[in-house]
Amino acid sequence: MIAVNPDGKIMVRRCLVTLRPFRLFVLGIGFFTLCFLMTSLGGQFSARRPGESPFTIRTEVMGGPESRGILRKMSDLLELMARRMDALARLENGSEPRRATSHRHSADRLPSGAGLVERIQAIAQNVSDIAVKVDQILRHSLLLHSKVSEGRRDQCEAPSDPKFPDCAGKVEWMRARWTSDPCYAFFGVDGTECSFLIYLSEVEWFCPPLPWRNQTASRTQAKPLPRAQAVFRSSLSPLLELMGSGKESLIFMKKRTKRLTAQWVMAAQRLAQKLGDIQRDQKQILVHIGFLTEESGDVFSPRVLKGGPLGEMVQWADILAALYVLGHSLRVTVSLKELQSNLGVPPGRGNCPLTVPLPFDLIYTDYHGLQQMKQHMGLSFRKYRCRIRVIDTFGTEPAYNHEEYATLHGYRTNWGYWNLNPKQFMTMFPHTPDNSFMGFVSEELNGTEKQAVKGGKAGNMAVVYGKEASIWKGKEKFLGILNKYMEIHGTVYYESQRPPEVPAFVKNHGLLPQPEFQQLLRKAKLFIGFGFPYEGPAPLEAIANGCVFLQSRFSPPHSSLNHEFFRGKPTSREVFSQHPYAENFIGKPHVWTVDYNNSEEFEAAIKAIMRTQVDPYLPYEYTCEGMLERIHAYIQHQDFCSAPGPASSVARAPQSPFVLAPNATHLEWAQNASMAPGAWPPARSLRAWLATPGRACTDACLDHGLICEPSFFPFLNSRDAFLKLQVPCDSTESEMNHLYPAFAQPGQECFLQKEPLLFSCAGSSTKYQRLCPCRDFRKGQVALCQGCL
């Protein structure tokens, strides 16, 4: 056993106490120095760090005064440590020889104080040498950075490139306003000229790419993944989850969808049989119902249970069901926050483009949603607006849609001037062929139900169209005449007491749930309207349940010129009755339109209706199958993003593909003429007529049992088309006018259309005879030609 001197124990303990903490301290300083060097210098020799903006120029690691000062202080500290350790070593070397001898055995097991000091000195010297080398590197980096910065500064001046004429102006704007929206800093703009040009060339597209930037990533685009095929769905339960909850409007829509599930599934099966083996790509579709967002006010949800209008919610519920049953992938949003998240909107005030390419093939929204997207998508709105479909109850005519033309000619309203293709607006009824007819669905009775309805009708029962008491105000005269022949029922909303506008002889049921309202219609003989609301779904539901619909004729017709309801709407359409579709496309015996100001005519109509027997009737285009058929055709064939083709741009071919019909009244597509590639509807369905002065193309085509087709206008927009119709053109001019192409009799002038977005079926003037493109249509489906499906 080896004896250990107590003095040796004391020395060892003193060394451990004195040197170990100091050793740990020195090692900690060394480790910190290494980490600092890796952090400070590593970024200069590596690629961009994860999460760092691609436009950040890392000047802070290129030898700034802060980094140099820290390293110098560390070097001085290490030199001081080395001097102190050297003094400690000399102190230990001068100790008594006896202490060194007596502790020989202990020294074999523990490093001597002098040896440990030597090691610490060596570490300190190494770190000091590293600090000197780092200082040299930083000096070199600073010199190199100054040269690179000077070179880049030369390359970060706004170029004079005729291909980018707006570049210099945009750079000036960025200098003054880049702090106006946090989104610019999000994309790496930091107030330097280079960051301005990088942003304007790589995020926006106003400036050319900088030659010293790595363009590989921007040039390399990932190959699109193979598209999944759309498959008809037989269950709508997942859709109900997608629609969300929390709003009375959504609850109403979900109840409607659930109630119509069986009809949607059967309609999908029938359409699948029609289409056969046609392959359909599954589309990624965003449905943003803007009018239900809190930011737009959401005035509809609180009124669902108080008799408010339900037409918009009926249509949106049916659109969602149709898109889902067709097999497409849907995302549904009813809040601005959800919209921003799905689009990839950067943080800020909406002046910057989206952070990612738009992940949706199509976006269905309304005017409120359209405005929200424009406010938050920046330049991406212009890029992707061709994918948007706007659900527009009353329609938008081309004259109101074209911003410049609307401003110059008095057509500007709060809802128009979007410069979209007019076919991107989708209406509830086929008001004008300039827009696409979306429609909605009325519940269809099967054969057994139709027989039950015919046998259960009360011959003297009438239901009034109008759930709000204000609609009944001033209608006592009509109600008095009707009460002589029929028992009158109402569905007027009230909370505690009977509305005073409703006469005592009217049996008011209050606001009824939809199934109960349907049962009431199945018993009634007559469904009568008092002029408002316009063009809602209820008259079609009544006719489908075996009622006769009686409505008022307007004289003069209502329009934005003389009626407050239509003022500000982007249409000049004249409404001659409460429900023009029912009057023009259904008519007698199901629909009677009379002058309510003529008491004798009104009473005679009541008597005639009581003698008339009608069966339940529903136009095919308002069945589930009809709506599926229509939306399928739109998704398959409507493409507003492709480069303009012959059916979407001004075509002035030297040789017209038309021939004069044998009766010399109109033009037809020549049999030997080639088909226009990409044209939809197919060009062979085109028939061209010269309308009489003051006649709109919409009416001129209907006069011949046809539908005006605005996508055919470019084919007719040539002097040759007039000559083929034997119209003498002493002069030909091209101008922006929504009535062109047209012929003016005084002066024998032919006018061609200069702006494709202004091709319009609507509009007329006694000065012009309009050249009108017409087409055939499928029975019960005016939106589609016979060869369109």
Side-chain angles (χ1 to χ4, degrees):
M1 183 174 178
I2 300 174
V4 180
N5 192 299
D7 292 338
K9 291 183 179 180
I10 294 173
M11 187 200 72
V12 171
R13 189 176 296 114
R14 185 173 60 186
C15 290
L16 292 175
V17 171
T18 303
L19 299 178
R20 183 175 295 171
F22 193 75
R23 178 176 58 184
L24 294 175
F25 173 72
V26 172
L27 291 176
I29 290 295
F31 179 73
F32 170 76
T33 304
L34 181 61
C35 292
F36 180 84
L37 294 175
M38 293 175 64
T39 304
S40 298
L41 298 178
Q44 297 182 38
F45 314 111
S46 62
R48 177 169 58 91
R49 293 190 292 270
E52 182 180 76
S53 169
F55 313 119
T56 300
I57 300 174
R58 295 193 297 277
T59 58
E60 72 279 1
V61 300
M62 299 296 287
E66 297 86 353
S67 301
R68 295 172 56 81
I70 291 173
L71 284 172
R72 285 187 181 128
K73 288 180 181 179
M74 291 180 63
S75 177
D76 295 341
L77 179 61
L78 288 170
E79 290 177 3
L80 177 62
M81 291 166 53
R83 287 195 298 270
R84 290 184 178 180
M85 290 304 300
D86 184 62
L88 180 61
R90 286 197 300 272
L91 178 63
E92 291 296 328
N93 289 336
S95 298
E96 301 176 10
R98 181 182 60 81
R99 182 177 297 178
T101 303
S102 63
H103 297 303
R104 183 177 64 252
H105 298 292
S106 298
D108 292 338
R109 287 179 294 171
L110 293 172
S112 67
L116 183 59
V117 169
E118 290 174 358
R119 293 185 183 182
I120 294 174
Q121 283 181 308
I123 294 173
Q125 183 62 42
N126 289 337
V127 174
S128 181
D129 292 342
I130 292 173
V132 173
K133 292 180 179 180
V134 167
D135 188 69
Q136 294 174 352
I137 292 173
L138 289 175
R139 290 177 183 275
H140 177 73
S141 297
L142 183 60
L143 179 62
L144 178 63
H145 177 249
S146 64
K147 293 180 179 180
V148 172
S149 298
E150 184 178 353
R152 286 190 175 180
R153 193 176 299 113
D154 293 339
Q155 299 177 26
C156 287
E157 295 179 358
S160 299
D161 190 333
K163 295 181 180 179
F164 299 89
D166 299 324
C167 182
K170 288 293 181 180
V171 171
E172 285 292 331
W173 188 95
M174 290 293 288
R175 287 195 194 106
R177 302 291 302 278
W178 75 272
T179 58
S180 63
D181 194 323
C183 71
Y184 297 116
F186 173 83
F187 280 110
V189 177
D190 58 9
T192 62
E193 295 294 299
C194 282
S195 68
F196 295 155
L197 287 172
I198 291 170
Y199 175 85
L200 292 171
S201 62
E202 297 181 17
V203 179
E204 298 184 2
W205 48 85
F206 292 106
C207 294
L210 299 177
W212 50 269
R213 292 285 294 175
N214 183 3
Q215 302 297 324
T216 305
S218 60
R219 287 194 302 263
T220 304
Q221 296 182 354
K223 294 183 179 179
L225 297 175
R227 280 189 175 274
Q229 293 299 299
V231 178
F232 287 102
R233 294 187 174 106
S234 58
S235 172
L236 272 69
S237 297
L239 173 62
L240 301 179
E241 295 295 326
L242 285 174
M243 293 170 70
S245 58
K247 293 176 178 282
E248 290 294 340
S249 50
L250 294 176
I251 295 173
F252 171 84
M253 292 164 61
K254 291 169 73 172
K255 287 181 178 179
R256 175 179 175 83
T257 301
K258 190 173 182 179
R259 189 172 64 251
L260 292 174
T261 294
Q263 294 192 25
W264 283 116
V265 173
M266 290 182 62
Q269 293 173 352
R270 290 194 291 266
L271 181 58
Q273 293 176 353
K274 284 184 182 179
L275 298 179
D277 297 330
I278 293 178
Q279 296 292 308
R280 299 180 300 118
D281 288 339
Q282 185 185 63
K283 303 293 186 181
Q284 301 295 318
I285 299 176
L286 173 65
V287 179
H288 177 61
I289 310 177
F291 76 90
L292 292 184
T293 61
E294 297 298 330
E295 291 75 12
S296 68
D298 189 13
V299 297
F300 287 90
S301 293
R303 300 177 63 193
V304 169
L305 302 179
K306 297 182 178 181
L310 301 178
E312 287 83 358
M313 282 166 272
V314 165
Q315 187 179 32
W316 275 110
D318 295 345
I319 290 171
L320 285 169
L323 293 172
Y324 188 80
V325 167
L326 285 170
H328 299 293
S329 177
L330 299 187
R331 195 77 58 86
V332 183
T333 61
V334 291
S335 74
L336 182 58
K337 185 177 180 180
E338 291 176 322
L339 174 68
Q340 292 173 321
S341 175
N342 281 281
L343 293 178
V345 175
R349 300 186 177 92
N351 291 306
C352 297
L354 302 180
T355 58
V356 294
L358 187 69
F360 301 103
D361 301 299
L362 293 170
I363 299 176
Y364 287 83
T365 189
D366 52 24
Y367 264 121
H368 295 285
L370 191 64
Q371 184 65 43
Q372 290 168 353
M373 282 187 277
K374 183 179 181 181
Q375 290 175 349
H376 295 278
M377 289 177 66
L379 286 177
S380 294
F381 180 80
R382 184 189 305 176
K383 180 178 181 180
Y384 294 120
R385 63 185 175 184
C386 59
R387 303 188 191 183
I388 298 174
R389 306 294 182 265
V390 185
I391 306 305
D392 178 13
T393 303
F394 294 96
T396 298
E397 294 176 1
Y400 294 83
N401 171 61
H402 192 281
E403 183 174 13
E404 179 185 355
Y405 186 80
T407 303
L408 293 175
H409 296 85
Y411 292 103
R412 192 178 179 99
T413 70
N414 292 333
W415 300 104
Y417 60 87
W418 287 97
N419 289 330
L420 300 178
N421 186 308
K423 283 287 187 180
Q424 290 178 251
F425 297 99
M426 298 185 145
T427 59
M428 182 172 282
F429 292 95
H431 308 304
T432 167
D434 293 321
N435 304 146
S436 297
F437 165 45
M438 173 60 75
F440 59 93
V441 165
S442 286
E443 296 186 45
E444 187 178 9
L445 304 182
N446 58 36
T448 303
E449 290 171 329
K450 289 180 179 179
Q451 290 299 322
V453 166
K454 291 177 65 176
K457 284 287 182 184
N460 64 339
M461 178 178 172
V463 176
V464 175
Y465 181 19
K467 296 173 291 184
E468 295 183 345
S470 59
I471 297 175
W472 294 64
K473 189 175 181 178
K475 306 300 189 297
E476 295 82 1
K477 182 179 179 180
F478 311 133
L479 290 170
I481 296 174
L482 181 61
N483 187 49
K484 294 190 326 186
Y485 301 95
M486 290 189 170
E487 178 182 280
I488 305 175
H489 294 249
T491 57
V492 183
Y493 169 79
Y494 66 95
E495 292 183 353
S496 57
Q497 52 186 322
R498 184 184 183 89
E501 295 86 352
V502 180
F505 54 77
V506 174
K507 184 177 181 181
N508 185 30
H509 299 265
L511 196 63
L512 294 177
Q514 191 67 11
E516 295 182 27
F517 181 65
Q518 296 281 342
Q519 292 300 321
L520 186 66
L521 292 177
R522 293 182 182 186
K523 296 178 182 178
K525 172 75 173 181
L526 175 66
F527 189 62
I528 181 171
F530 285 150
F532 190 84
Y534 298 99
E535 300 177 309
L540 292 188
E541 294 174 347
I543 296 168
N545 282 284
C547 295
V548 173
F549 177 52
L550 176 64
Q551 65 173 344
S552 173
R553 180 185 299 115
F554 300 147
S555 181
H558 294 180
S559 71
S560 59
L561 299 178
N562 62 7
H563 203 276
E564 186 62 31
F565 180 83
F566 291 101
R567 190 163 289 119
K569 290 182 171 56
T571 175
S572 299
R573 184 167 61 99
E574 294 183 325
V575 178
F576 288 85
S577 63
Q578 182 176 354
H579 207 290
Y581 176 87
E583 178 185 8
N584 297 324
F585 289 88
I586 300 177
K588 291 183 178 180
H590 301 280
V591 179
W592 293 61
T593 306
V594 300
D595 182 4
Y596 279 23
N597 293 320
N598 187 327
S599 300
E600 294 181 358
E601 182 180 355
F602 178 79
E603 187 169 2
I606 298 295
K607 294 178 181 178
I609 289 171
M610 294 187 68
R611 298 191 299 267
T612 303
Q613 297 295 322
V614 296
D615 293 331
Y617 173 74
L618 179 63
Y620 175 76
E621 54 200 354
Y622 284 96
T623 64
C624 289
E625 185 178 355
M627 188 170 186
L628 284 180
E629 186 178 276
R630 195 162 54 247
I631 294 179
H632 157 74
Y634 292 154
I635 292 177
Q636 289 293 105
H637 300 290
Q638 284 186 340
D639 182 3
F640 306 115
C641 298
S642 298
S648 58
S649 65
V650 181
R652 295 196 184 123
Q655 183 62 38
S656 173
F658 304 107
V659 295
L660 191 65
N663 58 5
T665 59
H666 63 279
L667 298 181
E668 296 178 347
W669 194 271
Q671 294 294 326
N672 59 352
S674 61
M675 290 292 290
W680 190 84
R684 291 198 185 279
S685 63
L686 188 153
R687 305 288 185 271
W689 301 77
L690 192 66
T692 57
R695 196 75 169 154
C697 285
T698 304
D699 300 323
C701 291
L702 285 175
D703 292 340
H704 300 287
L706 301 170
I707 297 294
C708 181
E709 180 50 62
S711 63
F712 288 159
F713 268 116
F715 297 124
L716 300 178
N717 198 47
S718 67
R719 187 171 184 271
D720 185 68
F722 285 100
L723 297 179
K724 287 286 180 65
L725 276 171
Q726 302 177 355
V727 175
C729 293
D730 291 348
S731 65
T732 305
E733 295 184 18
S734 181
E735 298 178 6
M736 282 176 50
N737 191 311
H738 70 288
L739 302 179
Y740 295 166
F743 172 72
Q745 184 69 39
Q748 305 288 302
E749 294 179 283
C750 293
F751 295 94
L752 305 181
Q753 181 60 260
K754 186 178 180 180
E755 171 53 64
L757 288 180
L758 285 175
F759 284 128
S760 176
C761 292
S764 63
S765 170
T766 55
K767 179 181 176 181
Y768 299 115
Q769 288 184 265
R770 300 194 58 191
L771 184 55
C772 301
C774 309
R775 62 161 171 83
D776 55 27
F777 57 92
R778 298 169 65 86
K779 184 179 180 181
Q781 184 75 288
V782 296
L784 302 179
C785 68
Q786 294 181 7
C788 280
L789 189 59

